[in-house]
Amino acid sequence: MKTVFILGAGASRAAGGPLMFDFIDAATRIFRLGEAGWAQPHFEGILDARRKLQGAFVKSTIDIDNIENLFSTYEMASLIGRLSDLDESVVKQLPKSLRYLIMRTLEQAILYPIDGKEQVIPAPYPYDAFAELLIELRDHREASPVTVINFNYDLCLDYALTLRGFEPDYGLAGSPVRSKRSIAHYKVHGSLNWFRNPETGEIAPQPLRKLPMRTYWDRLGLEHPAERPIDTMELIYGPDKWGMDLYPEPIIVPPTWNKGWYQEQLKSVWRSASEALAAAENIFVIGYSLPASDQFFRSFYSLSTISDSFIERFWLFDPSPKTDVVERFSSLLGPAIIDRGRFRFECEKFDGAIKRLAEHFGYRTENFAGR
């Protein structure tokens, strides 16, 4: 049976990543702690523009605490060329600055375990276990082949697969043909390791490197195991590039009303994801609660699942209250899933979902323990 995993922000939460509603809070905290680093000017520009937006409350309401709303507002400001008394040249840079703010916030929020014992640094928790599960399911008769549709920008799963000698198949136009050591990983909103080739204009993903444990243990002066952030450029170029100004603008598609225009850049990724959903017999949703505002995904799911395949399992894992999230998914799913008892909700975080799925497919769960 063909299996599709859909990962939302709740999956990244397990590794330290912020959610939509508290992303700006996390970014502000990083800025105030002096950890914005190379992205300091971008944080300053974004947070200053956010303060200017407070003036809109007199005549309208804008949720300036939600990264999705903020991205949408800055896109509109760039389009019309105005936001309060900011210079137009500054306004036009806001979408780019917000991408860098997202990149740096994820860099600082997501933590890698450094214990000084292993040869290489493991992936952020619990992505090692998830990558192991994916690799096991590739050969399982009730699950293979396996596809991951990921709404997140981070590199947690990409790195976990790299550690196991697998490469993500991103579905990008011009990417190499899928190999026996690849797993379909469609990051439909972009990724921190995707950049535009200045010569061809194509999106070029950069492979990740295995990070040597001893280098970071010594650099950080650790005496006890700890979890620490690691810069994107070190994951791409290696730790010897530490501190260098190597930050091209990442391909990050804003989760906003303007998706249609942006998705032209990632058409091949969305089409690959749609083909996977069309053939899916198992769909496992983890950490995505289907917010009422996401009409884009509702349309995408509905159109993609018009096919001859039958969905045997549609399982939703989310720590949100059951009545809220189940009602939203029930309004999306058709009678062939709901009425036939193929929809299941489990109030679990990412690590709990991994353990449940491992148990269901008959794998030992020692490596999938929660924390």
Side-chain angles (χ1 to χ4, degrees), residues 97-171:
S97 288
L98 192 53
R99 288 182 175 84
Y100 281 128
L101 178 141
I102 289 172
M103 185 179 198
R104 183 59 176 176
T105 299
L106 290 174
E107 284 183 352
Q108 290 298 110
I110 290 175
L111 303 176
Y112 290 74
I114 302 176
D115 60 15
K117 299 176 182 179
E118 301 182 49
Q119 290 188 342
V120 297
I121 294 177
Y125 178 86
Y127 280 90
D128 275 333
F130 184 54
E132 183 178 337
L133 177 63
L134 293 176
I135 293 169
E136 293 282 2
L137 292 181
R138 290 173 77 248
D139 298 321
H140 197 289
R141 63 184 179 84
E142 291 188 21
S144 182
V146 175
T147 296
V148 178
I149 299 175
N150 198 339
F151 295 155
N152 303 317
Y153 310 121
D154 63 72
L155 302 175
C156 298
L157 179 55
D158 313 70
Y159 184 65
L161 291 174
T162 297
L163 293 180
R164 283 164 172 72
F166 281 77
E167 57 182 356
D169 172 15
Y170 292 124

Side-chain angles (χ1 to χ4, degrees), residues 289-290 316 320-331 345:
S289 57
L290 188 62
L316 170 65
S320 303
K322 180 176 180 179
T323 54
D324 295 337
V325 69
V326 169
E327 285 180 3
R328 290 196 291 273
F329 273 91
S330 295
S331 69
F345 170 78

Side-chain angles (χ1 to χ4, degrees), residues 34 39 174 245:
D245 186 14

